[in-house]
Amino acid sequence: MRKLAFVVLIIGMFVLSWFFIFGYVEVGGLDDLEKLEINQKVYLTGKVVEERIISRGQILTLSSGIELVCECYDDFSDAEIEVEGLVSEFNGKKQVD
């Protein structure tokens, strides 16, 4: 009985870790982002069209209209980027942190 419980425990931990590692949603545009919940893990790609510096980093605007808030200070103008992040909301508008 203990061996069976141990095997079930190991399998359950594997499945749970699989969801944490690969449990993100690919976002294609701003409409897809608006449908998602806050703190949902997302993956997106795109070209940076605008950069704004804020107190805790930068806000990068992609060609799809999605805003990314990152704690970075590099120059990303006209760069193709891939991002994994969390959906957040600021002033009623969804963005990715």
Side-chain angles (χ1 to χ4, degrees):
M1 187 67 176
R2 288 184 181 180
K3 289 181 182 180
L4 178 64
F6 181 72
V7 170
V8 170
L9 173 75
I10 297 299
I11 291 172
M13 288 176 60
F14 176 73
V15 169
L16 186 61
S17 65
W18 180 266
F19 283 124
F20 281 125
I21 294 171
F22 299 105
Y24 58 83
V25 177
E26 287 196 37
V27 177
L30 197 54
D31 295 334
D32 295 339
L33 186 66
E34 292 296 327
K35 296 175 187 175
L36 299 177
E37 296 179 12
I38 304 297
N39 289 331
Q40 189 165 1
K41 193 174 179 182
V42 294
Y43 172 81
L44 54 107
T45 60
K47 184 176 182 179
V48 177
V49 294
E50 181 184 355
E51 294 180 277
R52 293 182 310 216
I53 297 176
I54 58 175
S55 62
R56 61 180 181 142
Q58 289 183 343
I59 296 179
L60 307 174
T61 305
L62 299 181
S63 57
S64 60
I66 297 174
E67 288 186 348
L68 304 172
V69 178
C70 70
E71 296 175 1
C72 54
Y73 297 98
D74 295 331
D75 182 26
F76 292 103
S77 57
D78 295 327
E80 279 288 326
I81 60 172
E82 297 180 11
V83 177
E84 283 185 28
L86 297 174
V87 177
S88 65
E89 189 172 11
F90 181 71
N91 287 338
K93 187 175 177 184
K94 291 196 177 173
Q95 59 190 16
V96 177
D97 283 341

